[in-house]
Structure formats: C-alpha cells, structure tokens
Amino acid sequence: MTAIKRIMVAGVLCSVLFTGCGMSDNAADMAKELSVPTLNTKKDIDEMLAKIQSEETVEENWILNKEKQQKLKALYEFIKVEEEKGAIDSDVDEKDIKQWIETSDPKDDVFDAIVDWNLEIDTESKLKSLFQKLDEIGFSGGYDILCKEIDEGKEEVEEGEDRSWWPDISITIENVKFYITFFDSPFATVNIGINADGIRYPASLQEILEKKFQNGFIVSDIYTGGYLQAVSFYSEVFLEGSPYNKSGILYLKDGKVVQLDMYIQLPEEIGALQKEGKLERKFNGKMNTFFTEQEAKTLAGLLEMFGVNSSEALEFAQKAGTDSDSRGIMNDVSWQFKESALPKQSSFEKNWLLRIQ
C-alpha cells in the first residue's frame, strides 16, 4: 500500500470512528464537499479509495533536503569511527544508508527502505560521550536530556532493584529517533530510527516540515496532491519519560492548517502496571500530563500555526493531561478533549482525542 493510500485509509477510518462522538470536525466537514458517501464497511472504504485514486490530482514537486542528507552522512561516518575505536558495537545496514546519502532524486525508490541501526554501549560514560559528540555533528540537545533522564532514573531505582525498571529514554533530534534501553550488560543499547519523510518531501510542505517537526515526533506519512493535505506523525514512549503513546494528523487546505488531531493512548501493559500501583514512583508525577518536554515544544509550535500566541501555546501543551477540561478557546482557536474516543483493547487501556481547529 502506498503512502498516499495509508494516509487516506487513516483519515477515512478516523471519520468513521468519530461519527457521532459529539466533537466538531472541520476536516470532515470540508471532505463533504467531495460528495463522499457515508462509509460504514471495508467495501465502502475500498471503493472510495479507488475513486480518489482515479480522480485527477495535482502533481507535486518533491525536494531533497541536502543539509539533512549531509547530517545523515556525518552520523553514519561518526558511528563507523566510534565502532573502529571500540567505543560502541553497531549493527548498521550500510547499503540502505549509503543509498540515502548518495541519491539526488527525492522520489528515488531507495527511500522505501527503513534505516534502523542498533548500537551497544558498555558503560554510562561512553553513552554520555556518544551524545556529547552527536551535539558536535549537528544532532544537538540530546546530551542534556540524556543526563537528566539518567539522573532521574537512578533516583527511581531502589537498592537491589532490577535495572530493567529504569525508564527507557526516547530522544528525537532532526527527525531522527534515538531510543535508549538500559540493561545490566551491556549498559545500554541505542536504536536509531530514521524516516525518509524527514529528508525528502513535497515543496508545498517544506516550511512546516523543516521548522515544526524537528524534535519530539517522527513524521510517518505525508498526503498531498488532493483536496486536503495531511501530515501524520507519532511518538511511542512505552515505559520511558512518559507512559503515553501519541500520534497525530495535521490537516491543511491550500497550505493553511485547518485541524490537528492528537490521539493519546495509555497502553494496556502500562494500564495494568498502574492498577498494580507500580507506576507512580516510576513516572514521578508525569502520569497527569501527556507530553514530554520535547513533544510539548513541538505541539506548541503547531498551535502557533493556528494563531495561538507562543506563551499560551506552550503552557497549554505542558499542562495538557488527564485533568484537562473537555473544551476551551485559545486566541479564538478552539480545542476539545474526549476520553475513550477509540475502541479499547482491554479495561486497562485508556485513550484520548485532542482536537484543535
């Protein structure tokens, strides 16, 4: 399934799921102008997708961000040097990353591959040194976050307690995700995940993708060329700085934002631990707020695109959580929260929808 179809399926399914939920939906209202019938079954959805694919669409001009491409090259070369020095052990698929680095075509099929690296680090000092050096090659900000999270993690681990209780750490810099997991031996592993939509994208969305989605979230899909455009993004923070998984869809029409949907989930496994009373110490007061520091800053930047002033946007993003009101207004921009907006897998799971429009 192509990226276009994936994002359209997501959008269509969301429209079906939220029909009758009592929340206003600007994106769905605009979609009605396409004379889309009510979609109740998979057959309806498949037929509508076929119709959409047959409609004439605008051919988009895609661009390749050379600066980000060079940063990936620097990251790859840095990892190879660190491995040769014995500072890390790495599992790197050199073929895929080299193709990403060398191509000059933003529509090259090489971007269909997923670049995923795994590093093993045997001491805390080597892990911190790794992120210090990442700062130097253009992936800045991770070192401070890492040190803070490690210090807080040590406070959470009681004497004699299994280190697996340390929170994992997820740091997103320049749309590259660094996911750190702690063990007794090796000390930690770092998984580096890169999505192609971070370095090549439609020219019409260049400013948004380059200025608004650098840290906190990973861009997962882009839909453009049709009546509405959309950017899909996510952050999975299972057992790390936040207990909540987040995914979002930013809708645009003619290059202007019209709606933002954020889907927030407390996964079944986390909910079960919470019921057993094992989460309060682990997350140290973070159970009541949804977004990490990085995510809150990015969300605030998206809110500014709707006309919310920067200080109010950041305050809202930092405080948004389980105790938030159900609706409100910021600088004439409306927001709505709804709990249990999606079907739940079990009684332990919880979920919310935050809609900005």
Side-chain angles (χ1 to χ4, degrees), residues 13-264:
L13 288 178
C14 288
S15 296
V16 174
L17 286 169
F18 295 127
T19 298
C21 75
M23 298 178 74
S24 60
D25 191 332
N26 285 345
D29 291 343
M30 289 182 178
K32 290 177 183 177
E33 298 178 28
L34 294 173
S35 301
V36 178
T38 302
L39 305 174
N40 296 312
T41 67
K42 183 179 183 300
K43 180 181 178 182
D44 293 337
I45 294 171
D46 289 341
E47 289 177 353
M48 192 60 222
L49 286 174
K51 178 181 178 182
I52 291 171
Q53 292 300 305
S54 67
E55 297 287 342
E56 182 179 353
T57 58
V58 178
E59 181 65 25
E60 272 282 354
N61 174 37
W62 284 65
I63 60 174
L64 183 66
N65 188 313
K66 296 290 186 179
E67 181 182 352
K68 290 185 179 294
Q69 195 176 35
Q70 287 302 308
K71 284 187 177 181
L72 288 185
K73 181 180 180 180
L75 178 62
Y76 167 73
E77 293 175 346
F78 163 70
I79 289 174
K80 298 303 292 181
V81 168
E82 291 297 297
E83 185 175 30
E84 290 172 3
K85 288 163 50 179
I88 61 174
D89 290 323
S90 72
D91 176 14
V92 178
D93 189 333
E94 296 190 20
K95 177 183 176 182
D96 288 336
I97 188 60
K98 283 184 176 179
Q99 288 179 325
W100 279 33
I101 291 169
E102 294 168 359
T103 185
S104 59
D105 179 5
K107 293 185 177 181
D108 198 319
D109 290 341
V110 302
F111 290 117
D112 291 338
I114 297 174
V115 173
D116 196 59
W117 304 336
N118 286 294
L119 315 180
E120 288 188 359
I121 295 94
D122 57 16
T123 67
E124 180 180 327
S125 62
K126 288 182 179 179
L127 178 62
K128 290 182 175 179
S129 176
L130 175 74
F131 276 84
Q132 275 185 312
K133 293 173 182 176
L134 284 172
D135 277 4
E136 297 170 5
I137 64 170
F139 294 88
S140 58
Y143 176 73
D144 290 339
I145 296 174
L146 176 74
C147 292
K148 178 182 177 182
E149 293 289 345
I150 286 179
D151 290 343
E152 291 181 357
K154 288 179 178 177
E155 293 175 1
E156 294 168 8
V157 179
E158 295 179 345
E159 185 176 354
E161 188 174 9
D162 188 337
R163 185 177 288 175
S164 63
W165 267 99
W166 283 34
D168 294 350
I169 301 171
S170 178
I171 303 171
T172 303
I173 311 169
E174 298 284 341
N175 213 45
V176 176
K177 185 170 184 176
F178 300 88
Y179 194 103
I180 304 106
T181 305
F182 295 97
F183 300 94
D184 286 320
S185 181
F187 174 76
T189 63
V190 180
N191 175 265
I192 303 175
I194 307 171
N195 188 290
D197 291 326
I199 64 173
R200 62 94 172 94
Y201 30 73
S204 62
L205 298 177
Q206 179 180 4
E207 184 173 358
I208 292 173
L209 292 170
E210 290 183 0
K211 294 184 178 180
K212 299 298 183 181
F213 287 102
Q214 296 308 301
N215 300 317
F217 295 99
I218 293 288
V219 174
S220 55
D221 270 316
I222 296 171
Y223 170 71
T224 188
Y227 182 79
L228 288 177
Q229 297 78 47
V231 178
S232 176
F233 56 98
Y234 74 95
S235 175
E236 294 178 329
V237 290
F238 181 69
L239 281 180
E240 48 184 78
S242 164
Y244 300 100
N245 292 332
K246 277 84 68 172
S247 61
I249 302 179
L250 182 69
Y251 296 95
L252 305 98
K253 185 177 186 300
D254 300 327
K256 296 182 179 181
V257 296
V258 295
Q259 184 166 305
L260 170 63
D261 285 348
M262 289 292 307
Y263 310 102
I264 303 154

Side-chain angles (χ1 to χ4, degrees), residues 18 217 233 235 237 242-249 261-267 287-292 295 299 316-317 320-322 324 336-344 349-355:
F18 295 127
F217 295 99
F233 56 98
S235 175
V237 290
S242 164
Y244 300 100
N245 292 332
K246 277 84 68 172
S247 61
I249 302 179
D261 285 348
M262 289 292 307
Y263 310 102
I264 303 154
Q265 178 201 45
L266 183 70
M287 290 297 298
N288 294 331
T289 56
F290 291 137
F291 301 100
T292 66
E295 293 164 352
L299 176 58
F316 175 85
T322 56
S324 293
Q336 303 169 80
F337 262 119
K338 184 175 179 61
E339 187 175 353
S340 300
L342 295 170
K344 296 192 294 185
E349 180 183 314
K350 297 179 182 179
N351 59 71
W352 296 261
L353 167 65
L354 167 62
R355 176 165 290 162

Side-chain angles (χ1 to χ4, degrees), residues 26 257-260 302-309 312 316 327-336 355-357:
N26 285 345
V257 296
V258 295
Q259 184 166 305
L260 170 63
L302 296 178
L303 294 177
E304 290 174 26
M305 296 175 63
F306 288 85
V308 181
N309 70 61
E312 190 170 356
F316 175 85
R327 62 185 62 240
I329 300 288
M330 294 180 289
N331 302 124
D332 296 326
V333 179
S334 69
W335 56 266
Q336 303 169 80
R355 176 165 290 162
I356 311 291
Q357 56 188 11

